[in-house]
Amino acid sequence: MKQGKNIAITFFLTLLCVSVAFAQGVEEYQQYHQEGRELAKEKKYKEAIASFSKAIEIMPYYTAIHLDRGATRLQVGDFEGAIEDLDYVAERQPYKKEVFFLRGIALYHIGEYEQSQSDINTYLVDYPSNQEAKAYKKKLNQYFTARQQEIDAQNAQLAAQQSQERAYRNARTTEVVLGTVVPLAIWTALVLSW
């Protein structure tokens, strides 16, 4: 009985210590997260990213920090880092459409135009009046139109080249027939007629 009581007391004390440590971690996480947000508002992006990273070390599973750090990484041109953070959020909270917009911008800047277009379009379904998203969609449409025109021009050039090659082969065949086969046939007919 006494041993059971000791186990219960030990369990309770362990649970209490874990709870206190967790609460301290939450408080520390919130401090770094808030500090990061304030630094980002002041356009001190590198310092903000450092604060968000400290908050993520403490609470790595909170998507809000990843979203804030991803948006801030986007501001400093760390597009791959932004995509990494935004992928984390999109996998866990796909209903947060802002993630798709931000990730679409980052994807655009690294040349992943098809994925970018998909993310921007996903965002525009819920926020069709967002001017910045519309501007990116327009840029993407222009890219795809120009790319299609390039492909069409290459196909036309290839078709013209193939047509020239066919014409050359036909001319060469005619040349061989008229220069070799016809004279041979005439000489054969003359030899056989003597």
Side-chain angles (χ1 to χ4, degrees):
M1 181 93 165
K2 193 173 185 180
Q3 187 178 19
K5 192 175 184 182
N6 287 340
I7 291 173
I9 291 172
T10 304
F11 176 75
F12 177 73
L13 289 174
T14 303
L15 187 61
L16 183 63
C17 289
V18 168
S19 297
V20 169
F22 181 77
Q24 288 173 340
V26 168
E27 190 175 299
E28 193 176 5
Y29 139 77
Q30 288 173 337
Q31 175 189 348
Y32 285 123
H33 192 188
Q34 187 58 36
E35 178 181 286
R37 285 181 170 177
E38 289 170 12
L39 288 166
K41 285 178 188 176
E42 296 170 10
K43 300 187 187 300
K44 295 178 181 177
Y45 299 122
K46 290 184 181 185
E47 294 90 345
I49 291 168
S51 290
F52 291 138
S53 294
K54 288 177 185 175
I56 288 171
E57 286 176 19
I58 298 166
M59 296 289 189
Y61 48 85
Y62 280 21
T63 58
I65 319 167
H66 288 275
L67 179 61
D68 289 342
R69 186 174 72 173
T72 307
R73 283 177 159 179
L74 194 60
Q75 293 295 322
V76 296
D78 178 9
F79 303 117
E80 286 84 5
I83 291 167
E84 181 182 316
D85 279 328
L86 298 169
D87 281 347
Y88 182 87
V89 179
E91 288 171 11
R92 286 155 183 79
Q93 295 179 329
Y95 54 86
K96 287 190 173 182
K97 300 303 179 182
E98 176 186 11
V99 172
F100 294 100
F101 175 54
L102 295 172
R103 188 173 66 180
I105 292 171
L107 289 165
Y108 175 85
H109 287 285
I110 64 166
E112 296 290 337
Y113 300 119
E114 289 179 11
Q115 289 178 286
S116 174
Q117 185 179 47
S118 175
D119 278 358
I120 297 291
N121 286 339
T122 297
Y123 175 78
L124 282 170
V125 167
D126 291 338
Y127 302 97
S129 61
N130 182 302
Q131 294 305 312
E132 189 176 3
K134 285 180 173 181
Y136 272 98
K137 181 175 180 155
K138 184 178 179 181
K139 288 179 188 180
L140 288 162
N141 289 341
Q142 289 170 342
Y143 165 79
F144 286 116
T145 299
R147 182 71 185 123
Q148 188 59 49
Q149 289 172 346
E150 276 180 34
I151 291 169
D152 292 346
Q154 289 172 351
N155 288 340
Q157 185 178 11
L158 183 62
Q161 187 178 15
Q162 290 172 342
S163 178
Q164 286 177 338
E165 289 172 4
R166 274 194 303 278
Y168 173 77
R169 284 193 306 271
N170 289 341
R172 186 72 181 125
T173 302
T174 302
E175 184 181 306
V176 168
V177 168
L178 294 177
T180 307
V181 177
V182 172
L184 185 60
I186 292 173
W187 281 105
T188 304
L190 287 175
V191 168
L192 290 176
S193 66
W194 287 350

